[in-house]
Each structure stands twice: as C-alpha cells, then as structure tokens.
Amino acid sequence: MVHTFTALDCPIALDVNSGAVHVLDEMTYNVLRQVEHYESLPDTCPERVVQRLPYSPEEIDEVWKELKELEQAGLLFVKSDYIDPEWAVVKDAPVKALCLNVAHDCNLRCKYCFASTGDFGTGRKIMPFETAKAAIDFVIRRSGKRHNIEVDFFGGEPLMAWDTVKKTVEYARSIEKEHGKNFRFTITTNGMLLDEEKMEYINREMKNCVLSLDGRKEVNDDHRPTAGGQGSYDRIVPRYQKLVAGRGDKEYYVRGTYTKVHPDFAADVMHAADDLGFKNVSVEPATGKPGDPFAITEAELPAAKAEYEKLARELLHRPDINFFHFFVDLEQGPCVIKRMRGCGAGSEYVAVTPEGDIYPCHQFVGNEDFRMGNVHEDTFDQELANQFNALNIYTKPACQECWARFYCSGGCAAGGYNVNGDLAEPAYVACELERKRLECAIAMKAIRSGLAD
Ligand code: SF4
Ligand code: SF4
C-alpha cells in the first residue's frame, strides 16, 4: 500500500508496509498518485493513466522506470507480510499500568469536561488509601513477570487527594523490591493546588507529569473556570513554570484541549512554547458524543487540519519544541506488537475508581457494562479484558485499510465506542485528525533530515 500526500508544500509518498518515505518531484507525485491504490506496478504505465496526465508519454515513461526501480528495491508497493489476526491477540496479558482515579472531585469546572466536572456523574469522592493500597497489591499480583509498572494519579483533580497520593507512593516503594517490581509514577493535574511542598515531591517522585493548560489566557479562562467562575490561568501558570524549572531532565507535558469554540490551537501551542517557555506541549481535540457543544466534529475538520499544518510550519525549524503529536519515529517505530495494539486499555492498562472498581480506562468509568471487577475483591473480568486484547489493526476493519495503521496502532477504543457504539469501529473524526498529524510529522521529519528543501 502506498499513500501519497502533500504537507508543508512537500509532495511525499509513504510506502506503508516498508515505512519508506519518498520526497517526490511534482511529475512523479502526479503519476504515482494515479496508481497508489495498485497492488504492484505493471511494466509500463497503463494507457488510461497516461491520457489523464498532462505530460508526454516519454516523460511518463522516464518516471515510470524510476518508480519501478523503487519497487524492485523493496521501497514501494511492498507486500504486507501475512499476519494471522489471532497472532496479534495476546490472551490473558498481564496488567502493567494503572490509572488511579484518586479524586472523583475537582476544583475546576471545565466546560468540556469528560468527567462531568470531576465526579464522573457518580458523586464527589476521594479515594481512601486502603483502596489505593489494594490497587497496588492488585497490580503486583496481576503483572506477572513484568518489572516496570506504571501508575498514573488521575482524577478529577488528584492533588485533592494528596494524602492518598503520598501514602500510595510510599507503600509501592516499600514493597517493590521484594516483588521484583519498579513503579513509575505520573500525575495529571490542573495545577490549582500546587504549592512548594507538592512541586518538590512531584519533581522527586514522579517520572512524568501532565500539566493541564489550554494556552492563551482568554482561551484557558473561558474553557477552564474555577467553581466560582474565575479564570485559572493566573494561578496555575507561575506554578507550572516553577515546577518545570525544578524538574531537571524529567519528563513533563503541558497539555491542552481545543474545542469547537476555540479551534485556533496553533496559537495556543506557540503561546505555551514561546511566551511561557514550556518545551513539551500537547493539545488534544475535545471529543464527545454527537451533539456535544464543544466536540470537534466533521464540520470542524478542515479548519482543524489547517491548524495542524500551520503549527507544523511554525515548529518546522524549532526542534527545541516537542509537540507530542509531531513526534514520529520513522526509523524504528514502536515494537511490532505495540504498533498493532496501541495503548492496551482494558487489558494491560486499567482505571480504578475511589471505590476500587476497575474499568478499561478512565473514559469508561461509570459505565456499568464495562465494570471489570474490584481491587478489594480481587475480581477481574478476564473475558472482557480479552475482548480488549483482541482490538488491533488486524481485527478492526477500518484499520486494515488505513495507511496510518502502523503509526496510530488502531486508535482509541473509548473514542470508537462513544461515537459509534462499537469498540472496534474507530471514530472517523479522530482518525482524520490522526492522519493529518502524521502527514505533518512525516513531512517535518523529511524536511529536517534534508530529504526535501
Ligand atoms: S480539571 Fe479535569 S476533571 Fe477537573 S473539570 Fe477540568 S477537565 Fe474536568
Ligand atoms: S487512523 Fe483510524 S483507521 Fe487508521 S489505523 Fe488509526 S484508528 Fe485505524
């Protein structure tokens, strides 16, 4: 399979199965575009293709020879290896990552909040330490031979459950060696309760932290007011800057959300990077069920794609800024299993609520159809986990046909379920955005590595 596209004024062909990227001249691009859906190239360019193109038969002949050479070199129209979808289904995979919803409560009232402003529609609660401890014991029992275990403190707003966060870290650290495990912690926060003690603790104990900010003050404050209706920007930005300054080389991301109401996110990313000094930035589209007033829908797709292109131009000569979605490893990519299966939600990765209930990820919390068990009872619905395990690019029909499959790994099961009511049917809007981001990322990489001007 070959995918041709133009991004950043650069005509490109990606050979999907080999991963080879070719920067093309205009004529070669126009010829290849006519035949990109072919399984392989015939010896000469078909007459009906010649007739459609504004070039002489001799010119097309010349281009065709070059394309044939690339094909023969295994760089174009490479056949996909036969993969038995069953092979890609890892049954009874160990659980190796937890999203601990330590607070089903929040001090912000973000207008697009996926969690009903923090409580997931189930009432405001803080996770008692006993539940977090049971969750740590659960993941140790269920993680098999896996050495590294990821724990993400999430909410709502996890700093509202600070005591539970600290006790959980302390407990996990106290038992990790005897079990041959290494815990790696992340915290995702809205920053409202950050103080010196918390910053110092996060920078010492958390391998990664995700700091929520929607960019420019007017955008952030419109999207992310406090419970009293005030903006949050002035309170959180200096705290984030201080925290990041103390982080050394540990990972962090400043992460925003863009919506139908404020779709011009390139300016928000550049504000976070240039005006505020954050080097690791990410933005995600607001998602939601059809009719959601903030969600990016098909109607917003052209504008959203144009924003990614605009952002790619801004960041092209700024390798110092790491925009999460423009990072793509063309040489190696993730390991083959990861390339097929994505995030592992519902099998290797699960979310735990303040009551100890287990869900495939935070996006399913509160949906009883997806309650997988409880850490206090040590119950876990392995059959449901195996249903999630079976979701991969070889079992999802849309992914089998998609050129982006080895980079995207099959998208978000929750996104597909929310939009289509089907875990195995990816959300079209999310897919279109993913494909556009990948095109930008591939073009940036090609230009930066000198393949194109
Ligand atoms: S900070 Fe997060 S949990 Fe709180 S209201 Fe905003 S989006 Fe919802
Ligand atoms: S972009 Fe969509 S269709 Fe393509 S691989 Fe990803 S989830 Fe599947």
Side-chain angles (χ1 to χ4, degrees):
M1 178 187 259
V2 173
H3 173 59
T4 55
F5 62 95
T6 300
L8 303 174
D9 304 322
C10 196
I12 289 178
L14 168 74
D15 184 67
V16 174
N17 291 320
S18 68
V21 172
H22 307 281
V23 176
L24 307 172
D25 60 58
E26 194 186 317
M27 190 175 10
T28 311
Y29 177 81
N30 287 336
V31 173
L32 185 55
R33 204 163 168 73
Q34 296 292 323
V35 297
E36 66 172 357
H37 56 286
Y38 283 23
E39 292 283 308
S40 62
L41 291 178
D43 290 340
T44 53
C45 185
E47 194 49 39
R48 64 177 190 290
V49 174
V50 177
Q51 281 169 5
R52 248 184 265 145
L53 290 162
Y55 311 115
S56 71
E58 293 74 27
E59 286 173 317
I60 293 176
D61 216 32
E62 204 50 42
V63 166
W64 200 260
K65 276 190 200 126
E66 286 168 20
L67 294 175
K68 284 294 293 178
E69 276 169 26
L70 287 173
E71 184 184 29
Q72 277 150 16
L75 296 169
L76 216 49
F77 295 102
V78 172
K79 303 265 176 298
S80 70
D81 293 334
Y82 171 73
I83 302 276
D84 180 348
E86 280 298 307
W87 177 77
V89 176
V90 181
K91 291 201 177 70
D92 304 337
V95 179
K96 60 185 189 190
L98 291 183
C99 176
L100 273 190
N101 281 15
V102 288
H104 274 190
D105 198 357
C106 191
N107 40 17
L108 289 188
R109 296 291 180 268
C110 303
K111 292 177 178 169
Y112 50 69
C113 180
F114 66 95
S116 308
T117 68
D119 76 350
F120 291 80
T122 59
R124 299 191 178 273
K125 293 178 202 99
I126 297 294
M127 181 184 279
F129 168 62
E130 288 65 34
T131 302
K133 178 173 177 289
I136 295 293
D137 293 340
F138 168 87
V139 75
I140 285 178
R141 275 194 304 276
R142 298 265 168 183
S143 56
K145 293 196 177 107
R146 176 86 190 182
H147 179 59
N148 290 322
I149 297 177
E150 317 289 332
V151 175
D152 187 1
F153 293 107
F154 204 74
E157 171 47 39
L159 296 188
M160 293 179 83
W162 188 237
D163 197 42
T164 299
V165 169
K166 284 201 301 186
K167 283 183 176 159
T168 308
V169 170
E170 196 183 321
Y171 176 66
R173 289 271 176 258
S174 73
I175 59 168
E176 63 184 351
K177 281 208 175 57
E178 68 185 89
H179 293 284
K181 306 291 177 190
N182 174 43
F183 279 91
R184 301 195 295 207
F185 299 103
T186 293
I187 195 161
T188 299
T189 178
N190 67 25
M192 292 294 286
L193 295 176
L194 279 175
D195 59 21
E196 293 286 340
E197 186 253 333
K198 293 186 182 76
M199 288 185 226
E200 192 272 325
Y201 187 87
I202 288 170
N203 282 344
R204 191 175 69 242
E205 298 291 349
M206 306 285 162
K207 180 176 170 284
N208 199 349
C209 65
V210 180
L211 310 168
S212 301
L213 173 75
D214 285 356
R216 294 161 295 173
K217 178 174 161 65
E218 63 273 22
V219 175
N220 183 83
D221 287 353
D222 185 36
H223 276 162
R224 302 177 64 80
T226 63
Q230 281 88 39
S232 51
Y233 181 98
D234 288 339
R235 183 174 172 97
I236 61 177
V237 164
R239 288 169 165 80
Y240 286 168
Q241 287 170 318
K242 192 160 193 185
L243 183 146
V244 168
R247 236 174 130 64
D249 55 6
K250 281 193 172 152
E251 293 167 62
Y252 76 90
Y253 264 99
V254 167
R255 184 196 181 283
T257 300
Y258 66 91
T259 65
K260 193 184 280 194
V261 182
H262 296 289
D264 53 341
F265 60 85
D268 292 304
V269 172
M270 295 318 293
H271 173 69
D274 280 346
D275 302 336
L276 304 181
F278 298 118
K279 301 299 178 206
N280 302 313
V281 187
S282 158
V283 292
E284 301 291 338
T287 56
K289 298 202 165 65
D292 182 302
F294 292 93
I296 299 295
T297 67
E298 242 175 290
E300 285 77 46
L301 270 179
K305 288 182 183 181
E307 280 295 306
Y308 282 115
E309 181 101 10
K310 184 175 172 188
L311 183 60
R313 281 182 204 283
E314 296 259 19
L315 295 179
L316 181 59
H317 300 296
R318 297 290 307 277
D320 58 316
I321 308 299
N322 175 22
F323 178 67
F324 180 75
H325 286 296
F326 289 164
F327 178 78
V328 56
D329 186 348
L330 297 180
E331 280 81 42
Q332 304 221 308
C335 78
V336 69
I337 286 285
K338 179 105 172 125
R339 275 193 283 161
M340 292 188 304
R341 305 182 53 237
C343 70
S347 57
E348 295 166 321
Y349 161 80
V350 294
V352 180
T353 68
E355 297 90 346
D357 289 335
I358 302 167
Y359 289 91
C361 82
H362 61 274
Q363 296 221 44
F364 288 100
V365 165
N367 183 336
E368 276 303 299
D369 291 344
F370 289 95
R371 186 178 169 277
M372 303 182 81
N374 185 285
V375 294
H376 291 296
E377 298 155 6
D378 192 25
T379 47
F380 186 60
D381 186 341
Q382 193 62 56
E383 208 174 299
L384 184 52
N386 283 340
Q387 276 181 40
F388 277 85
N389 264 321
L391 300 170
N392 66 60
I393 58 171
Y394 292 103
T395 56
K396 291 184 176 183
C399 303
Q400 289 167 22
E401 304 297 319
C402 176
W403 66 264
R405 59 185 181 268
F406 292 125
Y407 301 98
C408 151
S409 315
C412 168
Y417 184 80
N418 285 338
V419 174
N420 302 315
D422 184 350
L423 294 169
E425 189 182 340
Y428 173 75
V429 171
C431 291
E432 280 291 282
L433 294 174
E434 172 69 357
R435 288 187 278 255
K436 180 62 195 174
R437 292 188 296 243
L438 281 167
E439 288 180 351
C440 289
I442 291 169
M444 289 172 82
K445 188 103 177 175
I447 294 169
R448 282 179 178 169
S449 59
L451 282 174
D453 303 332

